[in-house]
Amino acid sequence: MEPIHLFDLAAKQSHWLAVRQNAVSQNIANANTPRYTAVDVEPFEAVVRKTTLSLAATAPNHISSTPAEALTARPRRSDSWSTVHSGNSVSLEQEMLKAGEIGRSHAFTTNIVRSFHRMMMTAIKG
């Protein structure tokens, strides 16, 4: 049985959200560290654009595609709201907003997967 693309996409987003939450928590932990520069990961949309679907060729005339790339979320410099005298660019307000956004995105993804799973189970049970 082939994996369902929705579940694969949800797993990639969950992994991306975990990586972003880690970056946000590191920023918060280093809020008082002199010359610390806040980091963030590239947007999930950019990660999805880099990932391709692998299509199955069922006939010799079908066009082949390359395998999907692995999910990589590279840290990048964050556009911070302010930089304090010590050179630290972490804004706790901005990081808390990011943390709330991550929590809402995770809940949204989980609800979509739960609903799709329920729909599949209903269809299978008939």
Side-chain angles (χ1 to χ4, degrees):
M1 184 171 174
E2 292 293 317
I4 297 175
H5 181 65
L6 178 73
F7 291 140
D8 184 46
L9 185 64
K12 286 180 183 179
Q13 185 178 26
S14 293
H15 175 69
W16 178 83
L17 288 168
V19 169
R20 188 164 190 222
Q21 183 64 41
N22 185 36
V24 168
S25 64
Q26 286 180 359
N27 289 343
I28 292 171
N30 289 297
N32 293 324
T33 304
R35 293 182 302 279
Y36 179 80
T37 304
V39 295
D40 200 354
V41 295
E42 62 185 343
F44 185 65
E45 293 79 18
V47 174
V48 171
R49 275 190 223 110
K50 291 179 186 177
T51 305
T52 59
L53 290 175
S54 57
L55 303 174
T58 57
N61 297 337
H62 285 174
I63 299 173
S64 63
S65 66
T66 59
E69 296 174 349
L71 173 66
T72 56
R74 295 179 190 95
R76 64 178 178 86
R77 287 190 171 218
S78 176
D79 296 329
S80 183
W81 290 350
S82 64
T83 302
V84 294
H85 180 65
S86 68
N88 188 313
S89 67
V90 176
S91 167
L92 288 177
E93 294 84 5
Q94 187 178 20
E95 299 304 317
M96 294 308 290
L97 288 172
K98 288 179 190 177
E101 178 186 330
I102 292 166
R104 287 187 302 277
S105 295
H106 182 69
F108 182 70
T109 302
T110 303
N111 287 334
I112 287 175
V113 169
R114 184 181 305 127
S115 297
F116 191 71
H117 180 261
R118 234 181 293 138
M119 183 176 66
M120 283 184 49
M121 294 305 289
T122 302
I124 290 171
K125 291 179 182 177

